[in-house]
Amino acid sequence: MSPRLVPAASDPVRRRDRPLGITVDGVPLSGVAGQSLAGVMLAAGRTSWRTGRSGAPRGVFCGIGVCFDCLVTVNGERDVRACLRRARDGDAVLTQSRAAAPAAGGEGR
Amino acid sequence: MTRRQVVVVGAGPGGLAAAGAALAAGAEVTLIEASERPGGQYHRMLPEAYEADRPEAVQHGHRSFDSAARRVLGHPRCSWWAGSSVWALERREPGAAAGPPAVHVLRGGPGSPRRRHVLAPDALVLATGAHDRVLPFPGWDLPGVFTAGAAQALVKGERLVIGDRVVVAGTGPFLLPVAASLAEAGSRVVEVLEAAGAGQVARGWLRRPWELAPQAAKTGELLSYARVLGRHRVPCRLGRAVVEARGGDRVEEVVTAGVRADWSVVPGTERVTAVDAVCVGHGFTPRLELAVAAGCALRPVPGGTSAEAFVAVDDDQLTSCPGVYACGEITGIAGAPAARAEGAVAGWAAGGGDRAARPLSALRAQRDQGRSFAARLARAHPIGHAWPGWLRPDTVICRCEETDYAAVCAAATDPAATDARVAKLATRAGLGPCQGRICGPTVAELRRHPGGQPGDRGQPGDPAGTPMPPGVHHRPVAEPIRLGELARPPGPPGGPAPSPFPHPTPKESS
Ligand SMILES: Cc1cc2nc3c(=O)[nH]c(=O)nc-3n(C[C@H](O)[C@H](O)[C@H](O)COP(=O)(O)OP(=O)(O)OC[C@H]3O[C@@H](n4cnc5c(N)ncnc54)[C@H](O)[C@@H]3O)c2cc1C
Ligand code: FES
């Protein structure tokens, strides 16, 4: 099994889930309003979405914007930390590869 | 009368208390926070969109935090800049009047373009907190291995559990709330592993127990986590560690082992455990880049390595820089109550409050109790110097650049690379996107003693307060900024009217 949201029906915080949809490399994923992009991807069963220099998979590590392992491109904007960015309905996420990163400007410098 | 202008960076327990005290002292406060909601790591709030009826069900002390936050953020003299990051501090020109550096802020969240602002306050309070420190081990770069803080941030902040069979490992009492949150949210926490041995923990915590009395709330909180773990039948083992994670494109199992006081593996104690997630934390690293950018002197940690340091402060939480105060985890790791006490002292002084005011002495006393709690925490949970015994030559040390242990060792013994900068260029460790935030302290330690021999750390008698080089914490750009954002002229310093709490995102007027 994979990461998942605590089901709203049994969550003691009594939240209301309003669905939203994003695409990751064109594949539609559904989440709920308020989740981070990382949260949507994790809950949809994806633990990795970026590759390092050697092609090794990377996903969330620090969860608070420090490690930069979770970088994605969102609606054309490169190097967005998925753990910090709230998902918005219709967001188009593209995964990134460290090896293919352009030399200038680099990732999130 | 012109009021003192105070800028507070960070709205965790430290920064919120600082803002509240500066307001009480009569100042105008701008509170800048990168997240959309206040609370920092401890009072991590659920997204507003969740419309949760009972957030207090998963958050310690939610009610008192909520009313304090509303009071501060709703105050007519407080400007609340959520979703805004301080990306640089610019020191004054030599010869200019003494005072805090100019504060460069990027304001505004996704959807609306971020705008640049430059603030020139009379006093600056830094309350930027800490992040988890994780020691490397083979496989720690596999997806599914999370920091303990990440697991906590996801479950507290989004109600997402990282897996169904989870091992929580590392050192320090922070492992308990993480494991408790996961268990309550429905994960099966297979075991909690504390690397420190039972004797060490007992000596650290039980010696002079009366000194713990002022921290009764913190102790009670820890007991409540222990109760939750008991209810869920989560075994907690001392003197054991995760020494390897294995899997294909994600973690599938971990190797755990018994470790001695120096964290060397006891041969024959290795055990393989199937998991779908692991979370690890070996203490915290303070987020020092802004303090270093301001030029604040750092103090070494007694018994720590050269990379372990905190901001040095005086009795008013004033740093060595004129007009710059520091509070919370960047001055020492002591938990939320200590961060609050420090924040209140810092904010009151920054706001121009009377140094002899009566409530201040009580706050200072609480702050000092927090400091002794921090010292106790460090004594009970030191990192054992033989941990590099877990590493293999091909174990990744710098996650960004995939520099392995062999390369770090080679650079450490290469006479041509004795200079840290040369070594960095040779190995690329610390040159990736995170700029050494994750690997910095580890690389510094391995460079001094690649095999992790005893004597690796500073002497316990190292005088605290000795100025130390900012070294690994030097990052001129504290938060990423795009070239286009840099090119645009900065917006008005005051920006638009403060957004009333609890609206999360201030709208930028263009
Ligand atoms: C991920 C994580 C989870 C934790 N969870 C718990 C827990 O559940 N229980 C517990 O007892 N302790 C927890 N801790 C320990 C925690 O750090 C302290 O107990 C407490 O929150 C420290 O308060 P603080 O005010 O010093 O810092 P923090 O609470 O860390 O607050 C610092 C704030 O500053 C902001 N910030 C940093 N840099 C900038 C910048 N450049 N611009 C704008 N804003 C900035 C951050 O977004 C953050 O909100 C956690 C620590 C981490 C790292
Ligand atoms: S997971 Fe570390 S920056 Fe997002």
Side-chain angles (χ1 to χ4, degrees):
Chain A
M1 263 296 285
S2 291
R4 60 187 154 75
L5 267 185
V6 176
S10 61
D11 196 336
V13 306
R14 297 221 204 101
R15 51 175 224 267
R16 294 175 185 70
D17 283 358
R18 283 181 290 119
L20 57 73
I22 65 170
T23 60
V24 178
D25 294 333
V27 179
L29 297 185
S30 51
V32 302
Q35 279 184 293
S36 63
L37 285 173
V40 172
M41 290 190 278
L42 283 168
R46 285 194 72 148
T47 48
S48 65
W49 46 82
R50 174 173 166 267
T51 52
R53 291 166 72 88
S54 68
R58 290 281 194 274
V60 167
F61 180 59
C62 76
I64 60 166
V66 175
C67 73
F68 293 75
D69 267 357
C70 67
L71 297 179
V72 286
T73 299
V74 186
N75 307 329
E77 194 184 332
R78 269 193 72 88
D79 302 334
V80 173
R81 285 167 284 179
C83 68
L84 294 187
R85 173 75 78 103
R86 279 222 206 288
R88 293 155 67 99
D89 198 30
D91 275 343
V93 175
L94 297 179
T95 56
Q96 291 186 192
S97 150
R98 187 76 208 288
E107 285 174 322
R109 199 55 55 85
Chain B
M1 187 187 110
T2 60
R3 293 180 178 275
R4 270 176 81 76
Q5 302 286 330
V6 176
V7 165
V8 178
V9 188
L16 270 171
L23 290 166
E28 299 261 358
V29 173
T30 305
L31 178 56
I32 302 173
E33 167 56 52
S35 307
E36 291 175 4
R37 307 208 75 183
Q41 307 302 354
Y42 184 77
H43 295 290
R44 183 171 286 277
M45 295 176 81
L46 288 166
E48 253 188 307
Y50 280 15
E51 295 175 30
D53 286 335
R54 297 192 61 247
E56 69 277 8
V58 295
Q59 273 143 15
H60 250 273
H62 179 79
R63 273 183 220 285
S64 61
F65 159 74
D66 193 53
S67 64
R70 281 170 191 279
R71 212 168 41 242
V72 171
L73 305 186
H75 194 286
R77 276 184 276 111
C78 180
S79 305
W80 165 230
W81 288 24
S84 306
S85 296
V86 174
W87 65 274
L89 295 177
E90 189 179 317
R91 291 188 222 176
R92 300 202 175 189
E93 298 288 329
V103 182
H104 290 262
V105 193
L106 264 177
R107 188 168 185 204
S112 56
R114 302 194 298 182
R115 285 282 300 274
R116 236 162 30 89
H117 296 268
V118 187
L119 306 178
D122 299 308
L124 173 65
V125 181
L126 300 176
T128 49
H131 61 81
D132 293 78
R133 171 138 194 229
V134 176
L135 297 175
F137 49 85
W140 75 307
D141 49 331
L142 278 174
V145 178
F146 298 85
T147 68
Q152 184 72 335
L154 286 163
V155 71
K156 250 170 117 173
E158 294 193 29
R159 305 303 289 145
L160 180 130
V161 291
I162 54 167
D164 280 325
R165 279 183 60 85
V166 188
V167 167
V168 177
T171 190
F174 178 52
L175 300 177
L176 298 180
V178 175
S181 299
L182 287 172
E184 272 187 331
S187 281
R188 161 128 193 261
V189 180
V190 183
E191 53 188 358
V192 178
L193 307 178
E194 162 61 61
Q200 173 107 47
V201 171
R203 274 193 305 281
W205 286 105
L206 300 182
R207 214 180 54 155
R208 297 149 80 82
W210 59 90
E211 283 180 5
L212 274 176
Q215 298 290 332
K218 196 84 211 159
T219 315
E221 191 186 317
L222 289 175
L223 285 176
S224 77
Y225 300 134
R227 266 198 301 277
V228 172
L229 296 179
R231 199 165 62 233
H232 291 274
R233 302 187 192 291
V234 175
C236 296
R237 303 197 164 89
L238 295 156
R240 258 191 109 73
V242 165
V243 295
E244 184 180 350
R246 296 176 181 162
D249 55 5
R250 57 172 297 179
V251 64
E252 287 155 23
E253 58 188 34
V254 287
V255 181
T256 70
V259 293
R260 304 188 184 94
D262 64 359
W263 292 20
S264 54
V265 170
V266 181
T269 57
E270 294 89 348
R271 206 162 50 217
V272 176
T273 306
V275 293
D276 60 3
V278 193
C279 53
V280 263
H282 301 103
F284 292 102
T285 304
R287 297 176 72 167
L288 294 179
E289 37 280 285
L290 292 183
V292 167
C296 301
L298 304 182
R299 70 176 171 88
V301 178
T305 64
S306 61
E308 292 170 271
F310 293 104
V311 181
V313 288
D314 74 2
D315 202 38
D316 287 335
Q317 302 294 128
L318 181 64
T319 70
S320 65
C321 292
V324 181
Y325 297 79
C327 60
E329 309 279 75
I330 54 172
T331 72
I333 305 297
R340 268 194 295 274
E342 287 196 355
V345 173
W348 180 257
D354 172 11
R355 306 290 204 273
R358 179 129 353 143
L360 206 56
S361 56
L363 284 171
R364 285 208 178 96
Q366 274 173 36
R367 186 260 325 267
D368 295 343
Q369 284 153 6
R371 286 186 181 162
S372 55
F373 185 75
R376 191 180 272 269
L377 198 70
R379 255 199 319 274
H381 303 276
I383 290 177
H385 58 71
W387 69 267
W390 307 345
L391 304 176
R392 298 202 194 105
D394 64 350
T395 303
V396 166
I397 303 294
C398 165
R399 301 170 68 90
C400 297
E401 295 295 316
E402 297 178 344
T403 309
D404 62 23
Y405 183 41
V408 173
C409 290
T413 49
D414 177 0
T418 46
D419 178 63
R421 197 174 295 272
V422 176
K424 210 171 171 180
L425 289 173
T427 64
R428 296 199 57 82
L431 286 179
C434 96
Q435 292 286 289
R437 284 173 173 85
I438 303 294
C439 71
T442 297
V443 172
E445 184 166 345
L446 291 177
R447 273 176 47 75
R448 278 179 65 183
H449 284 284
Q453 298 94 337
D456 163 37
R457 333 196 116 237
Q459 294 308 307
D462 280 353
T466 313
M468 61 178 301
V472 297
H473 301 289
H474 181 64
R475 292 175 199 104
V477 176
E479 289 277 322
I481 175 168
R482 286 162 213 292
L483 289 177
E485 292 165 339
L486 199 56
R488 236 174 291 145
S499 65
F501 183 70
H503 295 302
T505 333
K507 291 280 177 289
E508 279 291 328
S509 59
S510 49

